[in-house]
Amino acid sequence: MCSCGPIRHAEGRLRSTEGARVTTADRPGRLLAISDLHIGYAENRALVEQMRPETDDDWLLVAGDVAETVADIRWALETLAGRFRKVIWAPGNHELWTHPKDTVTLRGVARYEHLVEVCRELGVTTPEDPYPVWEGPGGPVAVAPLFLLYDYSFLPAGCATKEEGLTYAHGTGVVCTDEHFLHPDPYPSREDWCRARVSETGRRLAEIPADLPTVLVNHYPLDRHPTEVLWYPEFAMWCGTRLTADWHRTYRVAAMVYGHLHIPRTTWLDGVRFEEVSVGYPREWRKRSESPGKLRRILPMEVGSGDRGAAPGVGRGRGGTR
């Protein structure tokens, strides 16, 4: 298997064994995923404290929205990196906020680059690092964490421009907090930053060997279809970009892992599995029948994976603060 360019193979790393289970011949490693940990909530922080691998070879994909402050982000990723063979992180919008409660006041690209350096100190793989290859059950696949943002192209029905979409959203009162805290500096706008990220990321994905499938990990879905169940469809403007609508076909995707919507479920598009792996806010997960903080298995694929849908009366994301 080629390990040149953007690809790297699995590497062992020192980590704490406290609370971890030992791999046995009948329990091979798994590729697991979680997102939207939001550890600013004490209940969610407790969920992270309880998260453990089932084998020494488990990898964990973290698809963004760990927390709003650098200190909390560091604590969560350091905790998880000490337990799992490898942790792979893609940023969410909350990590990119310049929040008034955070002592780190960096904005835009400078904040993102600071978080990348924090991750590298912890041994956590970021979108700026070579893509590791999962060679366990269901592999080999290149695992690519992405940072793409959004460009307001998921417009509400009847709106033709970003300006019309934002006017409509303000009229309904459903406006993402990003409009206040997520700064694009030095780009003139978030959509300009998004387009630059899409261009550079597409170039890197194209360098993956053509015989190697991929697992793509992004905070936002690569296609608009997961947003069709939102209670407030105008919130879709802050949920991705049409520029990536064909990436699940172009880059031989075995699974597309995302979060942001707080609607944990599995959907399929063109034969490709889309996995929404959010924890969400306590007020959301308390209403679900499934235990909160359960890690989703991406590979090997769970038998019978289908559209899990949403818990009755609960699953449709409300928007507004994500």
Side-chain angles (χ1 to χ4, degrees):
M1 190 73 64
C2 175
S3 59
C4 60
I7 300 296
R8 73 177 176 202
H9 288 258
E11 300 172 354
R13 58 184 298 269
L14 295 175
R15 64 197 187 285
S16 169
T17 58
E18 181 182 356
R21 299 180 186 174
V22 178
T23 302
T24 61
D26 61 342
R27 294 300 302 273
R30 303 168 307 159
L31 187 63
L32 304 169
I34 199 78
S35 76
D36 295 75
L37 296 170
H38 294 293
I39 69 160
Y41 292 88
E43 301 97 319
N44 285 28
R45 189 182 184 98
L47 293 177
V48 173
E49 290 174 337
Q50 297 165 12
M51 287 179 185
R52 296 288 191 281
E54 291 194 8
T55 84
D56 278 349
D57 291 325
D58 287 353
W59 289 17
L60 182 63
L61 313 177
V62 181
D65 277 8
V66 174
E68 291 78 31
T69 70
V70 172
D72 277 350
I73 296 165
R74 177 187 287 274
W75 174 85
L77 293 178
E78 184 172 22
T79 297
L80 296 171
R83 297 171 180 169
F84 290 82
R85 171 70 65 180
K86 184 180 291 293
V87 172
I88 298 172
W89 167 80
N93 53 315
H94 282 235
E95 283 101 332
L96 299 171
W97 286 358
T98 305
H99 198 281
K101 293 183 179 179
D102 196 355
T103 58
V104 177
T105 58
L106 296 170
R107 293 164 56 114
V109 173
R111 181 175 178 86
Y112 171 62
E113 290 177 344
H114 178 69
L115 292 172
V116 167
E117 289 307 311
V118 168
C119 286
R120 286 174 171 168
E121 291 174 18
L122 302 174
V124 172
T125 300
T126 79
E128 306 310 306
D129 298 316
Y131 301 144
V133 175
W134 168 257
E135 295 175 323
V141 297
V143 182
L146 312 179
F147 169 39
L148 301 175
L149 277 172
Y150 50 83
D151 61 1
Y152 301 92
S153 56
F154 293 173
L155 289 167
C159 296
T161 66
K162 170 190 173 182
E163 289 70 28
E164 290 180 7
L166 287 177
T167 297
Y168 178 82
H170 279 280
T172 65
V174 178
V175 178
C176 185
T177 309
D178 291 4
E179 297 296 316
H180 305 286
F181 292 155
L182 203 166
H183 307 288
D185 312 22
Y187 290 94
S189 67
R190 283 178 284 275
E191 56 266 40
D192 286 314
W193 194 4
C194 169
R195 289 163 191 154
R197 293 296 313 183
V198 168
S199 176
E200 171 60 16
T201 303
R203 180 193 65 78
R204 289 189 61 202
L205 291 175
E207 294 176 356
I208 297 174
D211 62 345
L212 190 60
T214 64
V215 168
L216 301 186
V217 186
N218 190 49
H219 186 58
Y220 311 98
L222 296 180
D223 180 80
R224 184 170 182 166
H225 82 270
T227 70
E228 293 169 356
V229 297
L230 290 171
W231 274 344
Y232 303 112
E234 56 270 35
F235 189 74
M237 285 191 294
W238 294 276
C239 295
T241 170
R242 293 171 61 186
L243 295 173
T244 61
D246 64 349
W247 280 23
H248 62 289
R249 299 188 301 271
T250 301
Y251 299 116
R252 308 168 304 283
V253 175
M256 194 277 125
V257 178
Y258 69 99
H260 188 57
L261 303 183
H262 296 193
I263 310 173
R265 61 178 184 151
T266 303
T267 58
W268 293 81
L269 180 67
D270 300 322
V272 176
R273 183 166 43 115
F274 282 66
E275 294 278 8
E276 210 280 13
V277 297
S278 296
V279 174
Y281 304 127
R283 67 175 182 270
E284 296 167 326
W285 56 252
R286 287 194 195 104
K287 299 176 183 178
R288 300 177 189 143
S289 58
E290 189 173 65
S291 298
K294 182 180 179 181
L295 304 178
R296 183 78 60 82
R297 192 174 82 192
I298 306 303
L299 291 176
M301 186 175 72
E302 296 183 31
V303 176
S305 279
D307 186 341
R308 290 183 175 85
V314 175
R316 292 177 180 266
R318 301 186 65 88
T321 60
R322 286 169 176 73

